Each structure stands twice: as C-alpha cells, then as structure tokens.
Amino acid sequence: MLAGTVVVVVAALVLALVVGGRADSASRARGPAVAPGPVVLVPGYGGGTDSLDVLAARLRKDGHRALVLRLVGDGTGDLMVQARLLRSTVDGLLAGGAASVDVVGYSAGGIVARLWADELGGGAHARRIVLLGAPNHGTDVAALAAGFGSGLCPAACEQLVPDSPLLHALNEAGAASGPGWVSIWTDQDQVVTPPESARLDGADNLTVQSVCTDEQVDHGSLPTDRVVQALVVRALGPSPFVAPTAVDCAALRG
C-alpha cells in the first residue's frame, strides 16, 4: 500500500510538470533599445498551450506579434529536439523579414530557449529572452520521478533532474550573455523545487513576490497571472529592462 501511494504521489507531481527572491540586476546584456520583433512563446513539459495562448493574447493587445510554439510529439521528449524546432520557427520569421525575435520560455520551455540561444546560435538573433518558472538548475520533482524509472520520467524529465548532463553543460558555459535575459518566478512554485532553481547567472532575476508581496500565483498560473503578464510586457518593451520593485506593484496590477 505504501509503495502504491508513493507511485500515485510521484505521478501527480509529474502531471504538475505537464500542467505546468529577490530582484537583482546582474544582467550584463539587457538588450538594445530597439523596436521589438515577433515574440515566440515556448510551452513547458507536456507541450500544453492554453495558458500561453492567454499570455500571447495579452502581448498582442500590447502591439506585439506573438505566436505559441507547438512542440514535437507529446512535449516530453528530448529538449534539444524542441530547441531545433524553435530554431526552425525563428529562421522562418527571420526569412520573412524580422530583424530579431523575442522569446518567452515557460517552465521547461525556458531550458529549450536556453539551448536554442547557447547551443544552436539563437542568441545572435534574439533581442530579449524571458524565462517564466524555468528549472535552470533542475527540479526535485523530476529527481523524484526519475527514481521510479523511465515510465514516470521520460527524456525531458530526466534532463530536468538537478545537475543532469544537459543542465550541467548549460550552466558550466557561464553567465547568460548576448540578448537581454529576464528570469521571473514565484516563491509559491511547487513544481520547480526549490523555486530558486529559476535563478540564472547573467539575467535580471526577480520573484513575483518581490514586486507584489501578497500576489498568490503557483507554477501553473504564471502565464495567466496579471502581474506576471505585466512584467513580461515590461521586459519586452522597446527600452532596456529595469527590474521593478514593490513601489511598482499597483501600476503593474492596473
């Protein structure tokens, strides 16, 4: 009975992946103050797009051309395959006349964005890259699932285990550079654990609660939360990003 209970708990945590600080200004390259290009939004583990469709609509309302990437297969395969799909999509936008692109990577989609930027040359074409709840240093949820074998932890899950070969290589490469990097996460994340895993060297790092201390937002609702949406809009603006503080909370909610 105990073993069965553990398996159910792990399965629930993996399902959460599918559904699914303090501000600092360490960014060495916050992106030029140029007119924004198209925005490509990259889904997380499992490839669900509903919440990113909401964020994309918010960005279009603000004047951006935004499209949501549809991942290969069921969205739980090799993250490098997803990064190649992102490269193909961006190449099409550039061929269509875009001078540069912005990328928003949600959850595991943030790792896909990093692979594209760092391993596939995408950083040369990106103006801004925004990460939402990205497991930059892995998540203990993936480690727990991996302990029960590949049945509960397919390829992407294994790559999200803390200090996996893929994450180790990405993080050993040094601080993020090139485009402007912004990493946003919530202190209430129960999927990317610990939440501080979202911190990325070389990026502007901030939690939702560092701006609005009473904001209630979990991992799954990051793309649809009004404060997070306002932060993404600000991060993708024409001017270099300046991390907001608590004095900006009311304006962001408005």
Side-chain angles (χ1 to χ4, degrees):
M1 289 180 64
L2 178 59
T5 300
V6 171
V7 170
V8 170
V9 170
V10 172
L13 291 172
V14 173
L15 178 61
L17 274 170
V18 174
V19 174
R22 198 177 60 225
D24 67 57
S25 298
S27 180
R28 298 184 303 171
R30 298 180 185 174
V34 299
V39 184
V40 182
L41 296 92
V42 186
Y45 185 92
T49 62
D50 288 353
S51 62
L52 284 185
D53 286 337
V54 175
L55 177 56
R58 172 67 178 82
L59 291 171
R60 294 185 194 109
K61 185 177 179 180
D62 199 63
H64 293 275
R65 177 186 174 193
L67 59 101
V68 180
L69 196 67
R70 264 56 183 179
L71 299 185
V72 176
D74 64 359
T76 65
D78 187 347
L79 296 178
M80 183 58 82
V81 172
Q82 314 296 354
R84 294 191 186 102
L85 174 62
L86 176 57
R87 178 178 63 182
S88 175
T89 301
V90 170
D91 286 349
L93 293 171
L94 297 173
S100 66
V101 297
D102 294 330
V103 174
V104 177
Y106 168 51
S107 194
I111 306 304
V112 172
R114 290 183 63 193
L115 288 169
W116 166 74
D118 295 347
E119 303 291 333
L120 300 179
H125 306 294
R127 186 187 68 108
R128 308 275 168 81
I129 299 178
V130 181
L131 309 180
L132 298 180
N136 290 311
H137 302 278
T139 169
D140 293 340
V141 171
L144 181 60
F148 288 87
S150 59
L152 284 178
C153 192
C157 171
E158 291 183 354
Q159 291 170 328
L160 297 176
V161 172
D163 206 34
S164 69
L166 181 142
L167 291 177
H168 181 79
L170 268 180
N171 293 322
E172 279 291 299
S177 60
W181 291 82
V182 180
S183 184
I184 302 167
W185 69 95
T186 173
D187 288 340
Q188 299 155 6
D189 202 317
Q190 295 181 319
V191 174
V192 173
T193 55
E196 279 283 317
S197 176
R199 183 175 294 276
L200 178 65
D201 288 347
D204 280 298
N205 293 284
L206 67 152
T207 66
V208 179
Q209 289 75 24
S210 70
V211 181
C212 294
T213 57
D214 59 343
E215 191 73 5
Q216 300 297 307
V217 52
D218 60 14
H219 185 82
S221 59
L222 276 166
T224 58
D225 179 80
R226 59 181 177 173
V227 172
V228 175
Q229 289 184 353
L231 289 172
V232 173
V233 168
R234 179 175 292 203
L236 297 181
S239 301
F241 178 70
V242 177
T245 64
V247 299
D248 301 299
C249 178
L252 291 168
R253 280 179 169 162

